[in-house]
Amino acid sequence: MLDPIIVRLFISQIFMCYILLTLVPLKEPIKRNRIIIIIGVFLVTLANAIMIGSFGLADFYLRYFFLTLVVPLIILFSCVAVYRGPRLWFAFLSLEVLGSVAVINGIFVSYLLGGIDQPLADSLTRVLTYVLLLPFIFKFVRPQYRKMIATIKTGWWLLDLVLIISYALTYFVAFVPTPILYRPEYFVHTYITILLSLLVYFVIFMLFWEIESKINAERDKQLLAIQVVALEAQSSAIADSEEKVKIIKHDMRHQLAILSEQIEAGDLQEATRLLGHLDTKLKEITHPVYCANKVINATLRHYFALAIQNNIQVDAQLDIPEKIAINDSELAIVFANAIENAIRACSKIEDPTKKIIHASSRHLNHNLLIEITNPTVDEVVFGENGLPISTDKEHGTGVVSMRAFAKKNDAILDFSIENHTFVVRLVINSISSEI
């Protein structure tokens, strides 16, 4: 007959593996890495089972399972997980905190049924507890954790330390110096520590919601900044054009007189040269128009000017209507973030002939298809959700902002690498505005 500890070990690891595979984003190819995880979890669990059954080290396992079981699994997941280090530790510690509920429930049922270890009742209670926890994990923990790992770049070690302390407190009350089954007067204390641990866990997510609201506020500030940039660019262009018009008007009378004399004298070559000079001056008055929408055009003009200042070529063929059904400032932010990322990528390329940003769009059947490409020398890693993952703590919020725009407007946002070229594609449905 199997040792009850081994049975409970396999039950716990089955649920642990299943939950972690839904929580933790894996690298591509995801299917192969899932198989690696399943096999690895089985082998680590089997090794612990052999240690318990064949070598009689059950007490050693109960005291040091974090080292013999949890740490090897963290190392295993680190090999295939998109996010490693403290963000991965947080997922494991979350399961330890939540799993302690199942463990204590199982022991408590054993106590109620006779005060001795009841393997079958204990195991069934654990299974039932895990099943009841699954909806909470999938509907609350998983989406919040996925948002956190994509949004928060720093502070994870502190969050892990909080969970370690809360879990260690529960473990100390429940299993030191002996398991709580033999100290039933401490069940109340144990459940209080579990409730405190869950409260701490909830407070962590509340703090994240606060951070998320600040990020949204920052995004609103960015919207306002884009509008200000657009207005400043338009005002500057108008003022610059007006000044140049004044100068040309002042000189025009004299230049037309000279042109008339050259024509009368038959000096057509000089007349042609003077006309070319006048044409150049008139062109200086105009500014590039990339699309019909004024806010987006001003934003494009600003960021493409930054690219040109950095010796980056710009190829823009954009068809965006003047009136669109979505917030044009929000779409301008998408362009701003994409072009800013493209400038950053191009600045790392040594060959000046390869520094080029292509931006194109088509307005077709009330839909808008946008594509922005740039060469890249970086190795871009994509998450399970298809979004590029930034390893730079100072960057990465642009992609989050673009994803928020796509989600809000039911748009399709896609990132890819094609022949050392980073490609951003955005498809927006029903963009035409009824006038």
Side-chain angles (χ1 to χ4, degrees):
M1 184 176 178
L2 282 176
D3 190 317
I5 296 178
I6 295 177
V7 174
R8 283 174 282 212
L9 168 64
F10 274 95
I11 290 174
S12 298
Q13 294 314 297
I14 289 171
F15 279 96
M16 183 281 302
C17 181
Y18 175 66
I19 294 170
L20 280 176
L21 284 175
T22 62
L23 275 181
V24 178
L26 301 180
K27 296 177 182 177
E28 297 286 350
I30 295 173
K31 185 176 181 180
R32 186 200 68 182
N33 288 334
R34 280 177 178 163
I35 294 173
I36 291 174
I37 289 295
I38 292 171
I39 294 174
V41 169
F42 173 75
L43 292 176
V44 171
T45 307
L46 182 63
N48 278 267
I50 292 172
M51 178 180 67
I52 295 168
S54 300
F55 296 97
L57 296 175
D59 290 338
F60 179 86
Y61 164 77
L62 291 174
R63 288 185 178 274
Y64 301 106
F65 73 92
F66 197 86
L67 296 176
T68 64
L69 183 65
V70 179
V71 172
L73 293 179
I74 291 177
I75 295 173
L76 172 65
F77 269 86
S78 296
C79 296
V80 295
V82 172
Y83 301 96
R84 304 175 184 178
R87 283 182 274 195
L88 180 61
W89 277 77
F90 187 88
F92 274 86
L93 290 168
S94 297
L95 282 191
E96 292 300 325
V97 170
L98 296 173
S100 63
V101 179
V103 173
I104 300 304
N105 283 348
I107 296 175
F108 183 62
V109 169
S110 289
Y111 168 72
L112 293 178
L113 294 179
I116 60 173
D117 187 19
Q118 303 282 345
L120 180 60
D122 187 333
S123 300
L124 290 176
T125 302
R126 294 189 187 202
V127 170
L128 179 61
T129 304
Y130 281 123
V131 170
L132 292 175
L133 283 172
L134 285 178
F136 171 75
I137 292 172
F138 288 130
K139 292 183 180 180
F140 177 75
V141 177
R142 183 179 186 272
Q144 295 304 320
Y145 173 70
R146 287 292 185 95
K147 285 183 182 179
M148 287 174 65
I149 57 177
T151 304
I152 301 176
K153 306 297 181 182
T154 59
W156 282 96
W157 285 118
L158 181 59
L159 297 178
D160 289 347
L161 180 61
V162 171
L163 290 186
I164 289 172
I165 293 173
S166 62
Y167 174 72
L169 180 61
T170 301
Y171 181 85
F172 181 82
V173 174
F175 296 101
V176 177
T178 57
I180 195 173
L181 181 63
Y182 309 110
R183 297 179 293 119
E185 66 274 12
Y186 281 91
F187 270 114
V188 174
H189 302 76
T190 303
Y191 276 110
I192 289 174
T193 58
I194 288 176
L195 288 174
L196 289 175
S197 297
L198 294 176
L199 179 61
V200 167
Y201 198 68
F202 182 72
V203 168
I204 288 175
F205 283 114
M206 286 185 65
L207 291 174
F208 169 68
W209 293 332
E210 183 67 22
I211 293 172
E212 191 177 30
S213 66
K214 290 182 178 179
I215 291 175
N216 291 334
E218 191 65 29
R219 184 170 173 270
D220 292 339
K221 286 173 62 178
Q222 190 181 19
L223 274 174
L224 181 59
I226 285 291
Q227 292 173 331
V228 170
V229 166
L231 289 173
E232 287 180 346
Q234 288 178 332
S235 299
S236 176
I238 291 171
D240 187 44
S241 297
E242 287 177 347
E243 185 64 27
K244 289 180 178 179
V245 167
K246 288 180 181 179
I247 296 172
I248 291 175
K249 284 178 66 178
H250 179 269
D251 296 340
M252 184 69 73
R253 181 168 54 87
H254 303 292
Q255 290 172 331
L256 288 176
I258 295 171
L259 181 63
S260 178
E261 290 178 4
Q262 289 173 339
I263 293 174
E264 288 178 1
D267 191 355
L268 298 180
Q269 184 175 357
E270 282 298 315
T272 302
R273 187 188 65 78
L274 181 58
L275 284 172
H277 176 71
L278 289 172
D279 182 60
T280 300
K281 287 290 185 182
L282 290 171
K283 286 181 178 178
E284 288 178 358
I285 300 175
T286 61
H287 293 273
V289 177
Y290 296 107
C291 69
N293 185 278
K294 294 180 180 179
V295 173
I296 296 174
N297 182 70
T299 303
L300 292 171
R301 194 162 59 206
H302 173 75
Y303 283 93
F304 283 150
L306 290 178
I308 294 169
Q309 289 173 14
N310 285 275
N311 300 316
I312 300 170
Q313 303 175 60
V314 172
D315 174 30
Q317 300 177 20
L318 297 159
D319 175 22
I320 302 175
E322 180 179 1
K323 301 291 184 181
I324 55 179
I326 61 174
N327 188 316
D328 50 10
S329 294
E330 292 182 348
L331 181 55
I333 286 182
V334 173
F335 276 105
N337 285 319
I339 297 170
E340 192 174 48
N341 290 339
I343 293 173
R344 191 178 299 114
C346 287
S347 66
K348 299 179 182 179
I349 297 173
E350 296 181 358
D351 187 349
T353 62
K354 294 183 179 179
K355 294 183 176 184
I356 183 168
I357 299 173
H358 295 279
S360 62
S361 71
R362 286 188 299 162
H363 180 221
L364 184 65
N365 297 329
H366 304 293
N367 299 324
L368 185 63
L369 292 76
I370 300 170
E371 181 178 279
I372 300 174
T373 67
N374 62 268
T376 181
V377 294
D378 293 332
E379 182 181 352
V380 181
V381 178
F382 294 92
E384 194 175 25
N385 54 10
L387 300 179
I389 298 168
S390 174
T391 56
D392 190 341
K393 294 180 181 179
E394 300 298 322
H395 305 296
T397 54
V399 171
V400 175
S401 175
M402 295 164 72
R403 181 182 65 176
F405 170 87
K407 185 176 180 180
K408 176 181 177 181
N409 295 282
D410 294 324
I412 301 172
L413 178 64
D414 178 70
F415 299 90
S416 63
I417 292 288
E418 301 172 8
N419 299 321
H420 304 290
T421 299
F422 187 78
V423 183
V424 180
R425 293 188 178 94
L426 180 67
V427 180
I428 309 172
N429 300 316
S430 303
I431 196 171
S432 296
S433 178
E434 298 294 335
I435 302 176

